[in-house]
CSV table of all heavy atoms in Angstrom, one decimal:
chain,number,residue,atom,x,y,z
A,547,GLY,N,22.5,25.8,100.9
A,547,GLY,CA,21.9,26.0,102.3
A,547,GLY,C,21.5,27.4,102.4
A,547,GLY,O,21.5,28.2,101.5
A,548,SER,N,21.0,27.7,103.6
A,548,SER,CA,20.5,29.1,103.8
A,548,SER,C,21.7,30.1,103.7
A,548,SER,O,22.7,30.0,104.3
A,548,SER,CB,19.9,29.2,105.3
A,548,SER,OG,18.8,28.3,105.4
A,549,LEU,N,21.4,31.1,102.8
A,549,LEU,CA,22.5,32.1,102.5
A,549,LEU,C,21.8,33.3,101.8
A,549,LEU,O,20.6,33.3,101.5
A,549,LEU,CB,23.6,31.5,101.6
A,549,LEU,CG,23.1,30.8,100.3
A,549,LEU,CD1,22.9,31.9,99.2
A,549,LEU,CD2,24.2,29.9,99.8
A,550,THR,N,22.6,34.3,101.6
A,550,THR,CA,22.2,35.5,100.8
A,550,THR,C,23.1,35.7,99.6
A,550,THR,O,24.3,35.7,99.7
A,550,THR,CB,22.3,36.8,101.7
A,550,THR,OG1,21.4,36.7,102.8
A,550,THR,CG2,21.9,38.0,100.9
A,551,ILE,N,22.5,35.7,98.4
A,551,ILE,CA,23.2,35.9,97.2
A,551,ILE,C,23.0,37.4,96.8
A,551,ILE,O,21.8,37.9,96.8
A,551,ILE,CB,22.8,34.9,96.1
A,551,ILE,CG1,23.6,35.2,94.8
A,551,ILE,CG2,21.3,35.0,95.8
A,551,ILE,CD1,23.4,34.1,93.8
A,552,ARG,N,24.1,38.1,96.4
A,552,ARG,CA,24.0,39.5,96.0
A,552,ARG,C,24.6,39.5,94.6
A,552,ARG,O,25.6,38.9,94.3
A,552,ARG,CB,24.6,40.4,96.9
A,552,ARG,CG,24.1,40.3,98.4
A,552,ARG,CD,24.6,41.4,99.3
A,552,ARG,NE,23.9,42.7,99.0
A,552,ARG,CZ,24.3,43.9,99.4
A,552,ARG,NH1,25.4,44.0,100.1
A,552,ARG,NH2,23.6,44.9,99.2
A,553,SER,N,24.0,40.3,93.7
A,553,SER,CA,24.5,40.3,92.3
A,553,SER,C,24.4,41.7,91.7
A,553,SER,O,23.6,42.5,92.2
A,553,SER,CB,23.7,39.3,91.4
A,553,SER,OG,22.3,39.6,91.5
A,554,ALA,N,25.2,42.0,90.7
A,554,ALA,CA,25.2,43.3,90.1
A,554,ALA,C,25.8,43.2,88.7
A,554,ALA,O,26.5,42.2,88.4
A,554,ALA,CB,26.0,44.3,90.9
A,555,TYR,N,25.5,44.1,87.8
A,555,TYR,CA,26.0,44.1,86.4
A,555,TYR,C,27.1,45.2,86.3
A,555,TYR,O,27.0,46.3,86.7
A,555,TYR,CB,24.9,44.4,85.4
A,555,TYR,CG,25.4,44.6,84.0
A,555,TYR,CD1,25.8,43.5,83.3
A,555,TYR,CD2,25.4,45.9,83.4
A,555,TYR,CE1,26.3,43.6,82.0
A,555,TYR,CE2,25.9,46.0,82.1
A,555,TYR,CZ,26.3,44.9,81.4
A,555,TYR,OH,26.8,45.0,80.2
A,556,PHE,N,28.3,44.8,85.7
A,556,PHE,CA,29.4,45.6,85.5
A,556,PHE,C,29.7,45.7,84.0
A,556,PHE,O,29.5,44.8,83.3
A,556,PHE,CB,30.6,45.1,86.2
A,556,PHE,CG,30.6,45.2,87.7
A,556,PHE,CD1,29.9,44.2,88.5
A,556,PHE,CD2,31.2,46.2,88.4
A,556,PHE,CE1,29.8,44.3,89.8
A,556,PHE,CE2,31.1,46.3,89.8
A,556,PHE,CZ,30.4,45.4,90.5
A,557,GLU,N,30.1,46.9,83.6
A,557,GLU,CA,30.5,47.1,82.2
A,557,GLU,C,31.8,48.0,82.2
A,557,GLU,O,31.8,49.1,82.8
A,557,GLU,CB,29.4,47.8,81.5
A,557,GLU,CG,29.5,47.8,80.0
A,557,GLU,CD,28.2,48.4,79.3
A,557,GLU,OE1,27.3,47.6,79.1
A,557,GLU,OE2,28.2,49.6,79.1
A,558,ALA,N,32.8,47.5,81.5
A,558,ALA,CA,34.1,48.3,81.5
A,558,ALA,C,34.6,48.6,82.9
A,558,ALA,O,35.1,49.7,83.1
A,558,ALA,CB,34.0,49.6,80.6
Side-chain angles (χ1 to χ4, degrees):
S548 298
L549 55 79
T550 297
I551 182 169
R552 305 189 77 194
S553 56
Y555 174 72
F556 290 81
E557 196 174 271

